[in-house]
Amino acid sequence: MTDTSSHPIQLSGIRRSRRLGSLADQIYQKLRTAIVRGDLPPDHKLVELEIAANMGTSQGPVREALQLLERDGLVERRARRATYVTRTSLDEIYEFFVIRSTIEAFAIRRALNRMTPEHDRIMLALIDDMRRDGKAGDMDALVEHDMEFHRLICEWSGSTVLVNAWMPLYSQIQRFILQTHQHYFRDLIELADTHQPIVAAMTARDANAAAAMIHEHVMLIWHKFDQQRKSDTV
């Protein structure tokens, strides 16, 4: 049974730094990382007072950070205002993939109308970053660069609605990938290379191909997991 009792979150390394963002942002990033990596498991209780005491700050920034995590779908408020790490089923994960692929296919069509050669260079540089992460076996860094790649496509669409709809989906999928990659995503360089057909279609300014490639890319990760999971149960 999962231990849902609370325990202090180690936030002592967070500093009040303009470069790192506001204190609430820093607490949010620290807690988000702990959740998506599984250090804080589903149903784990997060207590504002304990986190604030551990941080040496007031509850205000902690409360703001928890609100951001709730926006991402990583925590939820239950009875008596207690906050817990969310739990998701495989059916829900599949739905996250499908909806995310639809959003990104729509976003990339809009983004292509705004893109310049500089945007192309940014995308290619991010693939290089992901390949280096893959060679180093650094899944955490690879997923962060992957997140930036897909987030930029949504941002370049010029639609805040798409960005706001996309972020919770990505957060849930990021958590899923980081917690299952050792079993289902052994070739990290291959995972990085799956972005290349997307950029090829983007640089060609082929909206139909780009939308098809990004849909295939997002769903490929689910299909790899689903196929491996089924073979493991045979």
Side-chain angles (χ1 to χ4, degrees):
M1 180 179 295
T2 302
D3 180 8
T4 60
S5 62
S6 61
H7 61 75
I9 310 302
Q10 298 303 314
L11 299 175
S12 56
I14 293 178
R15 304 186 304 278
R16 287 175 171 82
S17 165
R18 175 174 294 182
R19 182 179 65 85
L20 293 175
S22 70
L23 183 56
D25 288 338
Q26 295 172 55
I27 297 171
Y28 159 76
Q29 290 294 343
K30 188 75 172 180
L31 291 173
R32 184 183 186 281
T33 297
I35 292 170
V36 299
R37 293 177 66 176
D39 298 332
L40 294 177
D43 298 322
H44 180 87
K45 186 177 181 180
L46 297 170
V47 180
E48 287 182 13
L49 190 60
E50 291 184 1
I51 297 173
N54 183 253
M55 178 61 191
T57 186
S58 66
Q59 289 179 248
V62 176
R63 186 174 301 113
E64 185 178 345
L66 292 177
Q67 288 171 348
L68 293 173
L69 291 168
E70 187 174 16
R71 174 206 65 186
D72 289 351
L74 295 175
V75 305
E76 61 182 355
R77 288 187 178 275
R78 299 180 187 170
R80 299 181 182 177
R81 296 177 177 252
T83 301
Y84 294 84
V85 176
T86 55
R87 175 180 295 278
T88 54
S89 67
L90 280 180
D91 286 342
E92 289 172 322
I93 294 295
Y94 172 71
E95 291 172 359
F96 293 146
F97 274 98
V98 172
I99 297 169
R100 178 190 157 193
S101 69
T102 302
I103 288 174
E104 291 195 26
F106 182 63
I108 205 168
R109 288 180 180 276
R110 292 186 51 155
L112 287 183
N113 294 324
R114 301 163 176 262
M115 288 186 64
T116 67
E118 178 58 27
H119 293 93
D120 299 335
R121 286 190 286 272
I122 292 171
M123 293 285 101
L124 290 169
L126 283 169
I127 291 178
D128 288 340
D129 289 337
M130 283 185 270
R131 285 186 59 81
R132 281 193 294 271
D133 298 335
K135 289 179 180 178
D138 190 343
M139 185 65 173
D140 287 353
L142 191 155
V143 171
E144 286 301 318
H145 284 125
D146 174 86
M147 178 179 179
E148 185 175 0
F149 180 98
H150 292 276
R151 177 181 56 78
L152 285 174
I153 290 173
C154 290
E155 288 186 357
W156 293 343
S157 74
S159 170
T160 56
V161 172
L162 289 177
V163 175
N164 291 337
W166 174 85
M167 187 62 192
L169 298 169
Y170 188 90
S171 294
Q172 297 286 7
I173 291 173
Q174 182 183 21
R175 173 165 61 167
F176 169 75
I177 292 173
L178 283 176
Q179 294 181 28
T180 62
H181 81 275
Q182 291 180 344
H183 301 288
Y184 303 108
F185 305 105
R186 296 183 178 91
D187 189 341
L188 299 187
I189 298 176
E190 178 188 358
L191 193 57
D193 286 343
T194 60
H195 296 78
Q196 291 180 330
I198 302 170
V199 175
M202 292 172 73
T203 55
R205 303 296 185 259
D206 187 332
N208 289 334
M213 287 297 99
I214 205 161
H215 174 81
E216 181 179 327
H217 166 80
V218 173
M219 294 309 299
L220 175 64
I221 296 175
W222 169 263
H223 293 320
K224 282 174 67 70
F225 161 76
D226 198 38
Q227 290 171 3
Q228 185 65 50
R229 178 174 62 93
K230 289 176 180 175
S231 68
D232 288 347
T233 59
V234 173

